[in-house]
Amino acid sequence: MAGEPGELLQGTLEMMVLKTLSLEPMHGWGVAQRIQQMSNDVFLVTQGSLYPALIRMKRRGWLTTSWRVTENSRRARYYELTVAGRKQLGLEQASWLRASAAVNWVMNARLVPDGGRA
Amino acid sequence: MSVLTDLIERVRSIIFRRRDERELAEELAFHTAMETEKLERRGLSPAEARRQTSLALGGMERVKDDVRDARGTRFLHDGQRDMAFAIRTLMRNPGFAAVAILTLAVGIGGTTAVYSAVDAVLLQPLPYQQPGQLVRLYYTDTRRKEERGVVTPVHFLDYRQSMGAFSSIAALFLYSESGADIGTGADVRRIRILPVSADYFDVVRVQPSIGRPFSRDEESDASVVVLSHALWKDKFGGDPSAVGKSLIMNGRSYTVAGVMPDGFADPLAGAVDAWVPGDLRPGRDPNEAGNHYLSVIARLRPDVTIPRAQAELDQLGATLAQRYPNARYAGARLDPLKEDIVGDSSKPLEIMLGAVAMVLVLICVNLANLLLVRGTDRAREFALRSALGAERRRLVRQTLIESLTLALAGDVAGIIVAYFAMKAIVAIGAGSIPRLSTLELEPRLLVFSLVIASLSALGFGLWPALRAARTQPGDILREQGRSATSGGVQMRLRQWLVVSQVALAFVLLVGAGLLIASFQRIRQVPLGVRPEGVLAFELHLPEARYDSTARARFYETVAERIAALPGVAAAGGVSKLPATGDFNIWGTQALTGPLANLDRGNIAGQNRVVSGRYFAAVGIPLLDGRLFDEHDDASAPRRVIISRAAAERMFPGVRAVGQSLTTGGGPREIVGVVADVALDPQGRSGEGYVYHPHRQFAGDRNWSLVQVVRTTGSLEQLQGEVRRLIASLDPQLVMYKPMALTEAIGRGEAQRVFTLRLLTTFAAVALGLAALGLFGVLSYGVRLRRREFGIRMALGANGGSIRRMVLREGMVVTAIGVALGLLGAVALSRVLASLVFGVSTLDPRVLASAAVFMALVAGFAAYLPAHRATSVEPSSVLQ
C-alpha cells in the first residue's frame, strides 16, 4: 500500500461512487475495490462509509438496487445509476473540476514584488 | 434530491425494516467474504485472512448503525431499545412504577367515566331527529310564569287544533302510566304501558318499524296496542305477522297495531313495554277544565322559534280563559325538551365535572412530584452516563420514553378502571338520572384518555429530562451527595405542589361535607308521615274481571286480610304514595263557610283516593272529626277528609268538619281533618290535600291503589306472607314493585345520593392523593437531610425534637393548603349553592370539620417520615 489512505470528504466519496457505477453496475465490495485500484491505493473505502453513502444516494433517487449472482455464483446486491444519478455525476464532476482548478491556482500562487499576482 | 423519493424510501424502509436488515446483513457478509478471499489469494492462511479482514473493516454493528442512520430509521431501533431499557429501569423500582401507574389509572379512569356520564346525559342531543325542535308544554299561572304544571285534556285539544307554531303535538298520560297484566295462570306477568295521544310518534319522529301508529279515532279507549321491540320478541317471537293479532292485557283483548324499532326510548318515561291510545273523548271527565293530568310535548315547525310559539300560545291562552271560565289558569309555557329532561340533574353533573377536573389536576401534580423526585434521584446516573459519552439528546429521549411507557401502562390500567367506574356510576345513578342507562364506553373517550395520558407524560417527563440534559455532569459528580443544596429549590417547588394538592382536596372535602350536612338536614325535614316499618307495593286489578264494585270490595278485603297477619299494625291503599310528588291537582272550592263560592276559597287540591286504614298505616294523625269507615260506600253521600292546610285555607276561623266543598265533579261533605303531609322529601307543601274514600270513588276510574302495610316485624318476611295471601285471594294478581316506603320516598333524593356518593368518592381520592403527595415530599426531605439529622443527633438532639421538626414542616404545608382551599371554597360557594339544602355553603361547622379532617390525614401522612428521621444512625451518615 503506497502511503496512508487519504481521508475522504463525504461529497468526494459519493462522486467517486457515482463515477465507478457509471462504468458498470456493481456490488458494494466491487465499488470499494474499484476505487482503491483506480486511486492507486490512495483511497481505502471502508464499509462504514461506503454503505451509508450508498443508502443515502439511493434515498435521493440516484441509484437503484437489485440482487444478482456474481461470476463466482454468490448472491450480491448490485447498484446501478439512474438518469438522475447520471445527471448528478455530471454536476459534481463539473463543480469538482472548477473547485480543484481553483485550489490549484491558490496553491501555485507566488509573491510578486508589485503586489500583483501571476 | 427529490423530497418525494426520499419520503417514499424512508417509509419503505420502515415498512420493510425486517427485510432490509436481513439484506444488509447478507450484503455485509458478502463484503467480508470477498475481502477474506482476496487476502487468501495473496497467500495468507484462512484464519489470518479473517483476522485481518475484521481488523480492516471495523465493528459490524457499528456499520449497521451507520447504515440505519443513513436510512433514516435509526430512531426506531433506538426507540425499541429505549423502550426495553425503560421497562427494565421501571421494573427495578416497582414501587415508583406502581404508584405512577395507579395514579394515572385513577385519573384517566375517573375522568373518562365521569366525562362519558356527562356526555351521555348533558352533551348528547336527544336521540330523535331534529331534537332542537322538541319542546315541553306546561300549564302555568299567568301571574307566576315559573310555575310548571300538567295540562288539561280540554286545553290540549285546543292547542292541537289551533297552534300554528307546532308541526305536531302529543299528550302522554304519565299519570296513568301503569302496569298491565299479560298472560294467564302461572304465566301472568306485569308490564309497563303508557297511554299516549295519536300524534305521539310523529312528535318524536320515530314510527313503528312494522304496522302503524294510532289514529285520532282511536283516542277513545280503543283496544289497540303498539308493542316495544322487546315485548314483540318475547310474546310473538319476533314474528312480523303479529300485527293484527291480539294480546290479552288485564283480561281485555287488544289488537296489535304496530311494533316500535329496537332501541326506541320514550323521552319522558322509562322502560315502557307497550303503548295504548289515551282516552281524549270530550266530557269523559266531570271536572275537565280544572283537571290537569296530561304531560305534553310538541315539535315546532322548522322556521319557528320558542319565543314566537310562546307569543301564539299566550294569545290562544286569552281566548281559552274566556271559553273555560272554570279552569284555574289558561296560561302555558314552553321549555326546550332537552332542558326539561336534563333539568335538575345538569347541575350535579356539572359539579361532578368540576370535581373530576380537580382530581385530574391533583393527579397531574402527583405525577409531576413523582417524576421530579425520580429526576433528582437519577441526576447522578445521567451525569455519569453523559460523562461517559452518551449524547444529551439520547438522555432526554430516554427519560421521555420512560414517561411515555408509564403513560401507556397507565392508560391501559385507566381504561380498565374507566370500565368498572362506569358500571358503578350507572349502578349508583340508575333511576334518578335520566338517560344514564345509555352510558357506554366510546372510542372517542378512549382517544380522550390517551391524549390526557400522553400529554401528562410528555409534560412531566420533559422537564426533569431537560434539566438533566442542562446539568454539567461535573457539578453533580463533584457533589458526591455531600450537600443537599441542589435539592433546595426543587424542595420548595415540590412543597408548593403539595400545598396546591391540599387546597384542592380541601375544596372537595368541603363539597362532600356540605352534601352530607344537607343530607342530614333533609332527613330531619318533617314529612307528616312515619315511613319506617312500612311496606309498599302496587296491586292492579284487571278491569275485565273486576268492575268498580268488585274493585271497591277487593281493596277493602285485602287491607283487612293483611291487617290480620301477625305483626301487622294497619294496612290500606292510596292512589299516590305520600311525599312522592304532585298528583291529581283538582280545583277545589269551598261551598260553605266564610269563603263559600269566593275565589279565595278555591285551592289547587291534591286529591288522593284511599282504602283500608291508610292513615294509620303511614302514620297520619287524625286532628278532628272521624276517619272513613264501611258506611262511606257508594250508597252514602259523597264524603272527604281534608288536611289541616286545606282546612285553614278554605274555612278560616271555622270548624271544617261538617262543611262542604266541591272537587272531582261534585259536592262533598267533610267528615274529618288530618295532619299535613309534605309533597316531596324536601318538605314542599302544597295548598292542601283532599282524601276520597275508594268505596265511593271506585267508579271514577281504575285507581290501581298502592298498598301500604305497617308492621312491627321484618319487611322481607312480611313481603312473603303478603304475596302468599294475595295468591290465595286471586292467583292471577301480581304483587308489583314491593319496596320499603322509606325507599319509595327516598327516590326523590336519589339524585342527591348519586351526587353525594360520587363527590365523597372523589373527595376520598383527592384526600388520598394529597396525603400521598405530602408523604412523598416529607420522606424525600428526610432523605435529603439524613446527614443533618445525624449531626443533630450526634450533637445531642433527641428523637422527639427531630420528629416534631418534620411534623411541623408537614403541618405548615397543610395549613397553607387549607387556607388557600378556604379561599377556593368561598370562590366556589355560588356553584355549590345548588347542591345544598338548609345549610350555608360557608357553614362553619362543615369548614371546620373539613380542616380538622385534612389536618388529621396530613398528620398521619407526616408521621411516618418523621419517625424515619429519628431512626438515622449518626455513625452511619457521618462516616
Side-chain angles (χ1 to χ4, degrees):
Chain A
M1 234 175 272
E4 286 294 301
E7 280 280 319
L8 266 181
L9 291 167
Q10 188 178 316
T12 327
L13 172 66
E14 288 183 2
M15 180 175 70
M16 290 193 297
V17 171
L18 287 174
K19 176 67 193 176
T20 316
L21 289 176
S22 74
L23 306 176
E24 58 174 328
M26 204 169 285
H27 43 70
W29 184 76
V31 172
Q33 289 305 304
R34 188 65 64 86
I35 291 176
Q36 198 176 338
Q37 281 166 14
M38 292 194 304
S39 69
N40 291 325
D41 285 346
V42 170
F43 294 133
L44 200 144
V45 185
T46 63
Q47 286 184 329
S49 47
L50 174 66
Y51 287 102
L54 284 171
I55 293 286
R56 264 195 304 275
M57 290 191 280
K58 186 178 174 218
R59 248 171 67 191
R60 289 171 194 156
W62 301 343
L63 308 178
T64 57
T65 61
S66 55
W67 286 89
R68 300 184 196 170
V69 177
T70 64
E71 51 269 33
N72 36 17
S73 47
R74 283 175 194 274
R75 230 168 76 89
R77 175 147 50 190
Y78 275 73
Y79 296 84
E80 195 169 346
L81 273 199
T82 62
V83 178
R86 231 166 255 290
K87 217 166 80 186
Q88 182 65 20
L89 175 61
L91 288 175
E92 289 198 11
Q93 201 154 11
S95 80
W96 168 258
L97 287 177
R98 215 170 39 244
S100 61
V103 171
N104 280 334
W105 290 331
V106 172
M107 297 316 287
N108 294 333
R110 267 161 310 178
L111 267 184
V112 184
D114 277 341
R117 217 168 278 172
Chain B
M1 93 167 110
S2 146
V3 179
L4 191 67
T5 334
D6 183 58
L7 193 71
I8 292 173
E9 275 297 314
R10 272 183 195 242
V11 171
R12 203 198 59 82
S13 29
I14 290 174
I15 298 171
F16 297 108
R17 198 156 61 90
R18 234 173 249 283
R19 206 187 73 191
D20 278 0
E21 285 291 308
R22 211 176 49 232
E23 290 185 352
L24 177 64
E26 187 178 347
E27 190 168 26
L28 293 180
F30 168 77
H31 194 115
T32 312
M34 292 301 282
E35 196 69 25
T36 317
E37 261 177 41
K38 187 178 86 182
L39 292 176
E40 277 178 37
R41 276 201 304 275
R42 287 191 194 159
L44 289 171
S45 72
E48 178 63 14
R50 266 201 303 280
R51 201 183 68 84
Q52 285 206 6
T53 311
S54 62
L55 269 179
L57 296 182
M60 201 67 101
E61 282 310 307
R62 178 74 203 274
V63 176
K64 283 184 181 171
D65 249 3
D66 288 345
V67 170
R68 284 168 200 145
D69 232 357
R71 244 188 238 146
T73 60
R74 181 168 160 191
F75 71 96
L76 267 181
H77 285 267
D78 286 351
Q80 212 172 44
R81 250 188 330 225
D82 282 343
M83 185 78 100
F85 185 71
I87 291 172
R88 275 203 310 276
T89 323
L90 290 173
M91 295 291 270
R92 241 188 336 226
N93 197 346
F96 162 79
V99 171
I101 291 172
L102 206 68
T103 307
L104 271 169
V106 170
I108 294 163
T111 325
T112 310
V114 176
Y115 179 83
S116 25
V118 172
D119 181 74
V121 177
L122 283 189
L123 307 179
Q124 277 178 11
L126 301 172
Y128 310 108
Q129 289 173 36
Q130 283 88 42
Q133 296 171 358
L134 291 172
V135 291
R136 174 88 193 255
L137 187 151
Y138 285 107
Y139 115 96
T140 187
D141 185 339
T142 29
R143 287 156 303 181
R144 285 188 298 153
K145 298 260 188 196
E146 71 284 355
E147 198 164 294
R148 292 177 175 85
V150 282
V151 177
T152 75
V154 283
H155 287 135
F156 170 74
L157 290 172
D158 276 304
Y159 297 142
R160 182 159 83 178
Q161 196 181 0
S162 317
M163 282 293 291
F166 298 151
S167 62
S168 51
I169 179 170
L172 291 77
F173 291 61
L174 284 179
Y175 264 23
S176 12
E177 173 205 13
S178 61
D181 298 334
I182 57 170
T184 48
D187 221 19
V188 69
R189 81 182 171 96
R190 197 99 175 120
I191 60 164
R192 252 181 116 167
I193 58 170
L194 174 64
V196 293
S197 71
D199 304 335
Y200 178 64
F201 301 110
D202 287 336
V203 174
V204 293
R205 291 224 173 123
V206 183
Q207 296 294 325
S209 52
I210 47 176
R212 59 166 182 89
F214 305 125
S215 71
R216 288 192 188 174
D217 303 335
E218 287 167 335
E219 290 171 341
S220 55
D221 202 23
S223 298
V224 287
V225 60
V226 168
L227 307 178
S228 72
H229 194 265
L231 186 62
W232 174 57
K233 284 269 183 212
D234 184 43
K235 289 303 284 185
F236 295 95
D239 181 3
S241 68
V243 171
K245 290 198 173 140
S246 95
L247 175 72
I248 311 288
M249 296 198 298
N250 289 337
R252 178 174 149 191
S253 173
Y254 286 76
T255 306
V256 175
V259 177
M260 290 308 283
D262 195 11
F264 171 73
D266 297 81
L268 298 180
V272 174
D273 296 302
W275 297 264
V276 295
D279 192 346
L280 282 169
R281 280 172 296 183
R284 186 181 80 95
D285 223 307
N287 194 10
E288 41 181 22
N291 194 354
H292 302 256
Y293 54 86
L294 296 181
S295 306
V296 177
I297 59 173
R299 183 178 281 279
L300 298 178
R301 285 192 192 286
D303 50 334
V304 174
T305 60
I306 288 189
R308 242 188 76 195
Q310 182 70 55
E312 189 187 345
L313 204 55
D314 291 344
Q315 222 171 4
L316 181 61
T319 327
L320 293 181
Q322 287 169 0
R323 198 177 308 163
Y324 309 105
N326 67 337
R328 278 174 60 77
Y329 313 113
R333 59 168 292 148
L334 297 173
D335 291 316
L337 185 60
K338 185 182 166 193
E339 222 167 81
D340 181 68
I341 293 172
V342 173
D344 295 339
S345 51
S346 75
K347 257 281 149 25
L349 280 168
E350 276 163 19
I351 287 171
M352 263 2 284
L353 209 55
V356 160
M358 283 193 202
V359 170
L360 197 63
V361 170
L362 269 170
I363 279 159
C364 290
V365 170
N366 250 26
L367 210 60
N369 247 336
L370 277 171
L371 289 168
L372 276 177
V373 177
R374 200 169 160 71
T376 318
D377 276 357
R378 298 181 68 195
R380 282 174 56 79
E381 179 203 326
F382 279 134
L384 197 65
R385 282 170 62 185
S386 152
L388 291 177
E391 281 175 77
R392 296 270 166 88
R393 219 181 46 189
R394 213 31 222 288
L395 288 181
V396 171
R397 193 173 52 194
Q398 169 76 55
T399 326
L400 262 182
I401 284 181
E402 217 177 280
S403 320
L404 265 172
T405 310
L406 268 184
L408 281 178
D411 207 36
V412 171
I415 288 167
I416 297 168
V417 170
Y419 179 78
F420 288 105
M422 215 140 25
K423 294 249 164 206
I425 289 180
V426 172
I428 292 171
S432 61
I433 306 283
R435 309 205 297 128
L436 196 61
S437 51
T438 62
L439 184 58
E440 48 192 26
L441 202 88
E442 284 184 54
R444 271 189 307 143
L445 296 166
L446 291 187
V447 173
F448 178 74
S449 72
L450 253 172
V451 168
I452 293 176
S454 312
L455 279 185
S456 56
L458 283 175
F460 302 123
L462 200 59
W463 197 59
L466 284 178
R467 220 171 31 87
R470 264 203 314 273
T471 325
Q472 285 299 319
D475 291 351
I476 293 180
L477 293 176
R478 252 195 309 279
E479 252 177 45
Q480 292 294 332
R482 284 197 172 270
S483 118
T485 46
S486 70
V489 175
Q490 229 196 70
M491 208 47 212
R492 264 194 295 286
L493 172 71
R494 295 192 51 215
Q495 278 168 348
W496 278 109
L497 288 179
V498 173
V499 164
S500 68
Q501 285 187 310
V502 171
L504 286 173
F506 181 76
V507 171
L508 284 171
L509 263 183
V510 169
L514 285 175
L515 270 183
I516 292 169
S518 305
F519 230 71
Q520 290 170 340
R521 223 41 78 83
I522 285 182
R523 289 268 153 82
Q524 288 160 7
V525 164
L527 295 181
V529 291
R530 290 180 289 118
E532 298 79 18
V534 177
L535 174 73
F537 61 94
E538 291 178 25
L539 186 60
H540 185 84
L541 304 178
E543 269 167 71
R545 292 190 293 119
Y546 288 87
D547 63 8
S548 62
T549 326
R551 288 200 300 271
R553 201 168 45 234
F554 189 84
Y555 280 126
E556 300 301 330
T557 309
V558 160
E560 275 166 34
R561 294 289 297 272
I562 292 175
L565 288 172
V568 173
V574 67
S575 51
K576 172 88 174 169
L577 286 175
T580 57
D582 297 299
F583 195 67
N584 291 123
I585 308 170
W586 300 338
T588 306
Q589 173 72 52
L591 292 179
T592 58
L595 301 180
N597 298 314
L598 291 178
D599 261 2
R600 284 199 296 137
N602 189 318
I603 64 164
Q606 297 276 348
N607 287 258
R608 302 289 184 270
V609 178
V610 298
S611 67
R613 294 183 58 215
Y614 167 73
F615 298 104
V618 298
I620 302 174
L622 175 70
L623 302 178
D624 191 12
R626 64 167 178 93
L627 296 176
F628 298 128
D629 59 28
E630 66 273 17
H631 303 297
D632 303 314
D633 59 12
S635 62
R638 295 301 188 92
R639 293 167 183 146
V640 293
I641 292 173
I642 61 176
S643 67
R644 172 152 57 184
E648 285 169 357
R649 277 200 170 79
M650 286 191 290
F651 307 100
V654 297
R655 189 178 179 216
V657 173
Q659 310 281 356
S660 56
L661 53 76
T662 177
T663 189
R668 314 284 192 245
E669 185 198 336
I670 298 167
V671 297
V673 176
V674 291
D676 287 317
V677 174
L679 279 172
D680 61 24
Q682 283 82 47
R684 183 166 61 91
S685 58
E687 297 185 13
Y689 282 89
V690 180
Y691 297 96
H692 304 260
H694 183 255
R695 281 193 195 87
Q696 294 190 333
F697 225 53
D700 183 71
R701 71 195 72 168
N702 186 351
W703 286 99
S704 300
L705 298 184
V706 186
Q707 305 296 306
V708 282
V709 185
R710 175 174 295 279
T711 177
T712 52
S714 92
L715 293 184
E716 281 89 65
Q717 198 191 335
L718 176 67
Q719 190 178 317
E721 287 168 3
V722 170
R723 195 186 295 280
R724 278 190 294 278
L725 175 72
I726 291 171
S728 75
L729 291 174
D730 181 343
Q732 292 194 18
L733 293 182
V734 181
M735 183 184 191
Y736 192 47
K737 289 200 233 165
M739 62 173 83
L741 182 58
T742 46
E743 195 190 331
I745 292 178
R747 275 284 155 83
E749 62 189 14
Q751 200 169 299
R752 211 180 233 96
V753 177
F754 176 70
T755 319
L756 178 75
R757 286 194 187 151
L758 281 185
L759 205 58
T760 38
T761 308
F762 276 117
V765 169
L767 205 62
L769 288 172
L772 210 66
L774 192 67
F775 170 77
V777 160
L778 291 178
S779 317
Y780 187 65
V782 166
R783 229 168 69 204
L784 280 183
R785 292 163 68 188
R786 270 167 65 89
R787 285 174 58 80
E788 183 199 321
F789 292 138
I791 293 169
R792 276 171 189 269
M793 280 170 76
L795 292 179
N798 65 9
S801 68
I802 284 179
R803 199 178 299 142
R804 273 197 297 280
M805 231 174 77
V806 177
L807 276 177
R808 196 185 314 128
E809 196 186 310
M811 285 301 131
V812 167
V813 167
T814 310
I816 299 175
V818 167
L820 286 179
L822 210 56
L823 290 180
V826 172
L828 287 174
S829 65
R830 278 252 316 277
V831 182
L832 292 173
S834 63
L835 276 188
V836 301
F837 174 84
V839 196
S840 152
T841 49
L842 296 174
D843 187 82
R845 274 188 330 164
V846 169
L847 294 180
S849 342
V852 167
F853 198 49
M854 189 80 236
L856 277 179
V857 171
F860 193 67
Y863 182 78
L864 216 61
H867 183 73
R868 200 177 290 158
T870 60
S871 66
V872 177
E873 274 293 326
S875 55
S876 74
V877 286
L878 293 178
Q879 265 165 10

